[in-house]
Amino acid sequence: MSDFSLWIIVKNLLWATQWTILLSLIAFVGGGIVGLVLLFLRTSQVKWLEVPTKLYIEFFQGTPLLMQLFLFFFGVALFGIEVSPWMAAGLALTLWTSAFLTEIWRGCVEAIPKGQWEASASVAMNYVEQMRYVILPQAMRIAIAPTVGFSVQVIKGTALASIIGFVELTKAGTMINNATFRPFLVYALVALIYFCLCFPLSWYAKRLEGKLNVAR
Amino acid sequence: MTYKLEFSALLPYWEDLAAGLWFTIVLTVLSTVVGIAVGTLGASARTFGPKWLAGLVRVYVELIRNTPFIVQLFFIFFGLPALGLKLSETTAAFLAMVINLGAYSTEIIRAGIEAVPKGHIEAGVSLAMSRLEVLRHIVLRQAFAKIYPALSSQIIIVMLGSAVVSQISAPDLTYAANFIQSRNFRAFEVYLVVALIYLVLAIVLRYVLRVIGDRFVKVG
């Protein structure tokens, strides 16, 4: 029977933290790319593009992230497609993130005055050009703060990947707890590490928000 | 290999689903009521309380908002018994949700309180209202009207987040889904149907919250 010192516990948790960070980055970057595509569809004013996008967002915002993970992990495997925890977690978190980012960014796009659309249309720009050269550069400025704020939700969301067996920070905590029987210490440390990851982002998002209010 | 969808495999288990759904609804309603009460106290303490109390509330809010719900739940359910505080699955789930929503609603309600013009508070005081009366009739009433939409969204997020309590074996809707798929091996059908039940629940909850808001919260 080995004796687990505090240092060994911390070292193992920190080792697992890299997977939390990596999964968060995948979800955030992937979700950002998918979200941007969806944003174009959602604000296109073309009905048959908008309606499916709306339904997509409604599904991913209106169902628990845990259910989405289960659907990808247990569900898709039944169709004969091999799904690893990596793939299921990466995919589910990416789609979940994209739905929220699309909605956040749509709000920012809609905050741009109508005159900007009309002016760019009057110089014969098409929809994609309008977005690319006129609307998005302005919308991006107001989008930064809520986007950084949402990244905190993504990091916290990755904790659910532990349930489908993805070994990240929360799963490592559970495994170490099973070996050491020191749940109070282990989960307090896990929470502390999450806090160290999330708090700077929350703080930065808040600061950006304040700056923007002054600029207005 | 082709997999044939067989939704009728769920039918024999409808009672499990109904029981789980009921548990999720009751858990959400109770923890919403208590959580908002905690949030109201927290926000009041944060803006009007003594410095040490405001600081303490702030630490509570930041700690909860920057850690995952599942870790909070595990800490309460597995961690606290080490200190001699043993809780049942349901109590732990309820407590975790109250603490979680309490922190978020503290922050939301605080924003509402800060948006109330100072002159209104002074006007109340000059009418010889007590501090508590000013807080209740002037500050909180206006604050709630202002932040009600944000609070509603947070309640829906908490309801969806409650799926996690299945992990400590609290018998909610997700727990029922896990149970059923372990019996009939129809994971995709079960999780899809349960995800849709959550979706309907979210839509209904949004509607109910809007009706409550129109009836009671609006200042007019």
Side-chain angles (χ1 to χ4, degrees), chain A residues 58 61-64 66-67 70-71 74-75 78-79 156 159-160 163 183-184 187 191 194-195 198-199 202 206, chain B residues 1 3 62 65-68 70 75 78-79 83 104 107 160 163-164 167 174 178 188 191-192 195 198-199 206:
Chain A
E58 187 71 31
Q61 288 198 338
T63 59
L66 184 57
M67 271 308 125
F70 282 162
L71 270 175
F74 297 109
L78 291 180
F79 294 94
K156 292 192 292 178
L160 293 189
I163 299 172
F184 189 84
Y187 286 120
Y194 274 112
F195 184 81
C198 294
F199 185 70
S202 300
K206 210 167 198 177
Chain B
M1 184 206 99
Y3 181 79
E62 294 299 345
R65 294 208 326 156
N66 288 296
T67 52
I70 186 171
F75 184 78
F78 298 116
L83 296 185
Y104 279 93
E107 195 61 9
L160 295 175
V164 173
Q167 294 308 306
T174 305
N178 287 337
F188 190 79
Y191 290 130
L192 190 64
Y198 273 110
L199 184 60
R206 200 184 301 153

Side-chain angles (χ1 to χ4, degrees), chain A residues 117-181:
Chain A
W117 286 100
E118 291 164 356
S120 52
S122 73
V123 291
M125 284 184 168
N126 64 29
Y127 167 65
V128 176
E129 284 168 343
Q130 283 177 306
M131 283 286 268
R132 163 78 183 77
Y133 295 107
V134 180
I135 305 300
L136 287 186
Q138 300 178 69
M140 235 149 72
R141 234 170 62 92
I142 40 177
I144 293 174
T147 305
V148 173
F150 186 72
S151 68
V152 175
Q153 307 298 326
V154 176
I155 295 177
K156 292 192 292 178
T158 62
L160 293 189
S162 64
I163 299 172
I164 58 168
F166 184 102
V167 183
E168 38 64 79
L169 183 50
T170 305
K171 180 76 183 169
T174 306
M175 287 157 72
I176 293 170
N177 174 41
N178 288 342
T180 60
F181 304 112

